[in-house]
Amino acid sequence: MVLSTGFLLNLNRSNTNASRPYCSFPETHRIILTGTWAIMLGGNLSLFSGNSDEGPVLRKHVEGDSEDRRGRFKRSQDHHELYQKLIRWELDDELHATEKRLRDWSKERLVSNGLALFDLIAKPDGWLFDQRIVKLRRKSRSDLGQHRFRQGDIVMLSRGDPLSEKPIEAIVSDRRRDSIRVVLKEIPSDLRKDTWRMDRGANRIAYDRMRDSLNSIFQEEGGVPMRDLILGSVHDPSGTSSLPPQLGGVRGRSFVLDSSLNKPQREAALAATQQRLTLIQGPPGTGKTHTAVRIIEAWSQQDLGTILAVADSNVAVDNLLEGLLQLGVRAVRLGQPVKVREGLREATMDALMERHPLRKDLIDHLELNEKLGRKIKGMKGGKEKGLAHRDLGRGWKEVRRIESQMRDDILDRAQVLCCTCIGSGHELLDGRRFSQVLIDEATQATEPSTLVPIVRGARQIVLVGDHKQLSPTVISRRAEDGGLNKSLFERIMDMGITPFLLTKQYRMHPGISEFPNEMFYDGKLEDGVTGSDRKAPAGILWPDWERPIAFLPVEGGEVAGPDGASKENKAEASWVAKIVEDLVNAGEIGQDQIGVITPYAAQVRAIRDVLPEALTDLEVKTVDGYQGREKEIIIFSCVRSNSEGNVGFLSDPRRLNVALTRAKRGLVVIGDPATLRNDENWASWIEHARKHNLEAWHIIGMA
């Protein structure tokens, strides 16, 4: 089908209701517009109908301006309007989905999907710096069951209905089988009274900070010094990116790059210290974070001001922080301490505030204010009470002054500030400028979130990531279709700026790395470990002990999950449980060295349901939750098994790449070959398994 320019113009002008397209296409098809028109149509991309897992895709490229197809913007206004619209859709759709779920879903459905907990009793359970910890458990004292609440999640606490009440916002601290702890700013006076329910919350703060960053880069005055380069409005983006950074005439001190860097890592790090904008692509196990840490170390030696080191996730930020602290770099972690790895919390702003020399003065003033406040409550009206109120106001002003002085002192002394991309938009950093900004896992961050740290004055930028692995997570379908799931890293690549490729992997057994290397990286990766470094573990009869991969062909078992949208496969779940038991019983590795991955949340719950009680601490996650992670053994449950050959989420080659590259010593894949071979990437993998006799029919036969 050929779509004319005139037709598309009429479509764009006429389709004012995104939910009711101007024209109608078969419901079994999706239309994907690429190039200029994908951007221009924006909200009208509701032409994408149905579930992404269903129906063939009609992918039509509509010709437009070549610069637009490379991801370049001639005007900052175009960039501003596009991304303001996309993030607004993302927020609106998240809020709408949350409200609809709370309004329409039954208690049973919420519980079965792990999205709410009911009949909880609460009690105070200590402090996390200046915030209160509250412990919640069932009134019946029974286990909480399977749920999706994890450390760092934003949750809502209410008595019965978060839509009709004003819920209390909290952050999950940790969880056990029978309890979950959350962190609150203040404990309500009626905490112990009656019962509570807990629901997942939406993060509006992220939207506000992304909106502000887009406004900053759009402004004629201010914004970022490298705005034109980032937007692609310069004549030669590649040449401009390689120029020395414009650091206001300041010359940095000499630096030394660590000798442990291999040749590709060293070349990337050297470029990062010498040019304005550097992209570094790090395939699995090639030392992205190690390289990033060494770049920051070199920058800190230059002493050009405080460095901003960020990543999209708290896990990735903590990895940067840990590496910097081990090198003796003065790094401070910003953000909620509850979201920080426990062993790193002493480097948080909250911990440093508690140890600051002015802490005693602060406590003294707080106690005086508290005493004066109690005294005022017993006073009658008159001049004396008025003067006391004046003194109390002065007292709180002094408290704020001391706190500000403490924070400024900590920030001024830091060589590096570590936080998430969104966290860098905190008002704590208002007025501060950071000329050097490094963004790790940049391909997992949306462009608006990546801009949040950049608009803090960046003049030298390093983006580290891998566009061959998972893209940014976007909740809104229309925002995703409009391009929000394309990272700034990828768009800059489209402008013609080539990333430095890290080529030596140190994670996987060479037998495990072979396929992803050829499939996703054109055979450019080298193995930095040998088979003897990554010996196949006992507990499973590997088809080839020199190539520790086993493909278990399990047919059938796919059903819809409890929510009707996700998928599960109990036959595969049973095989996962058996293989894990065999591996653990062999005694060579523990369950903490095994990771179970699956593309569907329903399958995560199905696997956990069949695990014996002794294995309840086994880590079972979706593929999307496992990027950046590794385990000695990975077991991957594909789930999909149907007569239509529909592979759903598995069709994303980036998801396949992540799933196949988490294992160090052994990889087990459980799936239906008849279904999987309908996808070209999976067909290639199955052919690879058959070529090397990696199908584990003998394990199936021994069941």
Side-chain angles (χ1 to χ4, degrees):
M1 179 189 302
V2 178
L3 305 180
S4 70
T5 301
F7 169 81
L8 289 169
L9 277 173
N10 289 329
L11 173 64
N12 189 41
R13 291 166 180 167
S14 303
N15 184 17
T16 56
N17 187 336
S19 66
R20 299 182 63 84
Y22 176 71
C23 64
S24 178
F25 293 93
E27 293 183 358
T28 56
H29 292 71
R30 291 190 296 135
I31 308 294
I32 298 179
L33 303 174
T34 62
T36 307
W37 285 105
I39 295 175
M40 291 185 64
L41 288 176
N44 300 313
L45 294 179
S46 60
L47 290 170
F48 295 35
S49 62
N51 190 300
S52 63
D53 297 345
E54 301 175 354
V57 176
L58 302 180
R59 185 175 295 273
K60 300 296 180 182
H61 186 92
V62 186
E63 296 297 328
D65 187 277
S66 61
E67 289 190 345
D68 288 333
R69 293 203 305 275
R70 293 199 301 268
R72 300 175 67 173
F73 292 86
K74 291 182 178 180
R75 302 187 311 154
S76 59
Q77 293 95 326
D78 298 333
H79 177 277
H80 179 264
E81 291 170 4
L82 172 64
Y83 284 103
Q84 287 283 13
K85 176 172 61 177
L86 295 180
I87 65 171
R88 184 72 235 185
W89 284 347
E90 175 78 349
L91 175 65
D92 288 348
D93 290 356
E94 181 181 6
L95 293 174
H96 175 74
T98 301
E99 182 181 346
K100 187 176 188 310
R101 183 173 66 239
L102 294 174
R103 184 182 63 248
D104 299 341
W105 285 25
S106 66
K107 175 179 177 179
E108 292 72 25
R109 187 179 182 187
L110 289 169
V111 171
S112 67
N113 282 275
L115 296 173
L117 296 171
F118 293 85
D119 302 317
L120 303 173
I121 57 174
K123 68 173 184 178
D125 197 44
W127 294 79
L128 181 60
F129 302 112
D130 61 343
Q131 295 184 311
R132 297 304 305 270
I133 299 174
V134 170
K135 185 176 186 179
L136 298 111
R137 60 191 309 164
R138 289 199 189 280
K139 188 176 182 180
S140 62
R141 303 288 179 173
S142 60
D143 288 351
L144 295 177
Q146 298 294 339
H147 59 79
R148 299 192 195 183
F149 299 106
R150 301 289 185 269
Q151 182 188 7
D153 286 351
I154 298 173
V155 297
M156 299 180 293
L157 299 178
S158 63
R159 292 300 187 180
D161 183 7
L163 293 179
S164 61
E165 307 171 28
K166 185 178 180 180
I168 299 172
E169 187 175 281
I171 300 173
V172 176
S173 172
D174 56 75
R175 49 174 282 178
R176 293 177 173 82
R177 290 178 63 92
D178 62 346
S179 64
I180 186 167
R181 297 201 307 166
V182 299
V183 175
L184 309 173
K185 290 184 178 180
E186 294 183 9
I187 290 182
S189 58
D190 61 347
L191 178 71
R192 292 177 177 267
K193 184 180 178 181
D194 299 325
T195 60
W196 297 88
R197 67 176 282 182
M198 179 186 297
D199 295 90
R200 292 180 68 96
N203 189 359
R204 188 182 177 92
I205 293 175
Y207 165 76
D208 292 339
R209 292 177 180 175
M210 288 188 290
R211 178 202 60 206
D212 292 345
S213 71
L214 288 167
N215 289 337
S216 295
I217 198 171
F218 170 69
Q219 293 167 356
E220 292 299 325
E221 301 295 332
V224 297
M226 296 204 305
R227 181 185 64 187
D228 292 342
L229 174 58
I230 292 171
L231 297 180
S233 56
V234 298
H235 175 69
D236 179 14
S238 181
T240 304
S241 69
S242 63
L243 294 173
Q246 296 175 305
L247 298 173
V250 178
R251 296 182 62 87
R253 299 176 182 175
S254 60
F255 64 91
V256 178
L257 285 174
D258 183 72
S259 59
S260 69
L261 295 171
N262 61 39
K263 184 178 178 181
Q265 291 172 337
R266 188 173 185 84
E267 290 175 351
L270 188 61
T273 60
Q274 295 179 341
Q275 59 187 42
R276 296 181 186 181
L277 175 63
T278 305
L279 304 183
I280 300 175
Q281 182 189 358
T286 56
K288 292 191 299 294
T289 301
H290 174 69
T291 306
V293 166
R294 291 300 183 178
I295 291 170
I296 298 170
E297 180 190 34
W299 277 354
S300 68
Q301 295 172 16
Q302 290 181 291
D303 196 24
L304 293 170
T306 307
I307 300 157
L308 195 53
V310 303
D312 185 62
S313 70
N314 283 289
V315 172
V317 177
D318 286 347
N319 291 339
L320 287 174
L321 176 66
E322 184 175 42
L324 292 169
L325 294 176
Q326 289 174 351
L327 296 177
V329 177
R330 296 193 307 278
V332 175
R333 178 70 155 91
L334 304 181
Q336 290 280 358
V338 67
K339 297 184 179 183
V340 179
R341 195 180 306 155
E342 190 170 355
L344 300 173
R345 288 176 181 171
E346 289 303 307
T348 62
M349 173 65 76
D350 295 72
L352 295 170
M353 289 281 284
E354 283 200 348
R355 301 197 302 269
H356 196 277
L358 292 177
R359 176 72 176 181
K360 186 178 182 304
D361 290 346
L362 179 64
I363 296 298
D364 290 343
H365 278 85
L366 287 170
E367 290 177 350
L368 287 172
N369 289 350
E370 187 178 347
K371 290 179 181 178
L372 185 56
R374 289 197 301 267
K375 183 179 178 181
I376 289 174
K377 287 182 180 180
M379 289 182 176
K380 296 180 180 180
K383 184 177 180 181
E384 184 181 0
K385 189 172 184 178
L387 291 172
H389 274 293
R390 182 198 64 186
D391 292 340
L392 184 60
R394 290 174 176 175
W396 283 115
K397 185 177 181 181
E398 181 64 12
V399 166
R400 291 191 293 270
R401 186 195 68 78
I402 295 173
E403 286 181 330
S404 179
Q405 185 178 341
M406 292 166 65
R407 285 192 293 266
D408 286 344
D409 186 46
I410 293 168
L411 294 174
D412 291 342
R413 291 174 181 270
Q415 292 176 291
V416 184
L417 298 183
C418 300
C419 57
T420 62
C421 293
I422 296 300
S424 66
H426 195 283
E427 58 267 19
L428 180 68
L429 300 183
D430 288 351
R432 293 181 176 268
R433 309 294 284 176
F434 304 92
S435 60
Q436 295 171 304
V437 177
L438 182 142
I439 304 174
D440 196 12
E441 298 290 1
T443 49
Q444 286 191 272
T446 66
E447 179 161 337
S449 67
T450 306
L451 293 178
V452 177
I454 289 176
V455 300
R456 292 286 188 188
R459 295 176 179 270
Q460 189 171 28
I461 302 172
V462 175
L463 301 178
V464 185
D466 183 14
H467 58 289
K468 298 291 186 179
Q469 298 185 60
L470 291 174
S471 60
T473 299
V474 177
I475 297 172
S476 167
R477 173 65 64 83
R478 54 179 175 165
E480 179 180 349
D481 294 340
L484 190 58
N485 67 333
K486 186 174 187 176
S487 66
L488 177 62
F489 187 108
E490 288 186 272
R491 188 170 65 75
I492 288 176
M493 283 184 60
D494 291 344
M495 289 160 41
I497 298 177
T498 303
F500 287 84
L501 179 66
L502 308 183
T503 55
K504 184 169 287 189
Q505 73 86 16
Y506 299 93
R507 174 185 298 161
M508 295 166 278
H509 185 290
I512 299 174
S513 69
E514 182 181 7
F515 177 81
N517 182 21
E518 294 296 330
M519 187 71 186
F520 304 111
Y521 301 104
D522 301 320
K524 295 178 180 179
L525 302 187
E526 303 173 17
D527 292 312
V529 293
T530 65
S532 59
D533 298 322
R534 298 286 188 265
K535 292 182 179 179
I540 183 173
L541 292 176
W542 300 99
D544 182 353
W545 285 84
E546 300 301 318
R547 197 184 299 269
I549 300 173
F551 177 42
L552 272 67
V554 176
E555 297 180 359
E558 175 190 325
V559 296
D563 63 355
S566 190
K567 305 291 182 183
E568 65 180 45
N569 189 316
K570 292 185 178 179
E572 290 188 13
S574 297
W575 274 108
V576 170
K578 180 181 182 332
I579 292 168
V580 172
E581 283 190 272
D582 290 346
L583 286 166
V584 173
N585 290 338
E588 186 176 333
I589 59 173
Q591 58 178 292
D592 62 326
Q593 297 173 296
I594 303 172
V596 178
I597 308 177
T598 182
Y600 293 94
Q603 184 69 350
V604 170
R605 295 191 295 277
I607 292 170
R608 287 175 175 158
D609 285 343
V610 299
L611 288 173
E613 188 171 349
L615 297 176
T616 53
D617 291 332
L618 179 75
E619 191 170 67
V620 185
K621 291 181 175 285
T622 62
V623 180
D624 297 57
Y626 228 93
Q627 182 156 322
R629 307 288 306 284
E630 63 182 25
K631 291 285 186 179
E632 298 294 313
I633 304 293
I634 288 292
I635 303 169
F636 182 60
S637 172
C638 299
V639 178
R640 303 312 299 266
S641 179
N642 52 76
S643 57
E644 295 80 18
N646 192 341
V647 299
F649 292 132
L650 294 172
S651 63
D652 185 348
R654 295 168 297 186
R655 189 168 278 109
L656 174 61
N657 185 22
V658 172
L660 298 180
T661 56
R662 303 303 97 192
K664 298 170 70 175
R665 295 170 56 191
L667 172 66
V668 180
V669 179
I670 307 172
D672 180 359
T675 297
L676 295 176
R677 69 165 63 97
N678 286 279
D679 176 80
E680 60 179 352
N681 296 306
W682 275 99
S684 297
W685 191 85
I686 291 172
E687 179 60 31
H688 175 81
R690 289 180 173 174
K691 177 182 177 182
H692 296 286
N693 298 313
L694 302 177
E695 291 177 301
W697 292 103
H698 60 289
I699 296 178
I700 301 290
M702 294 169 60

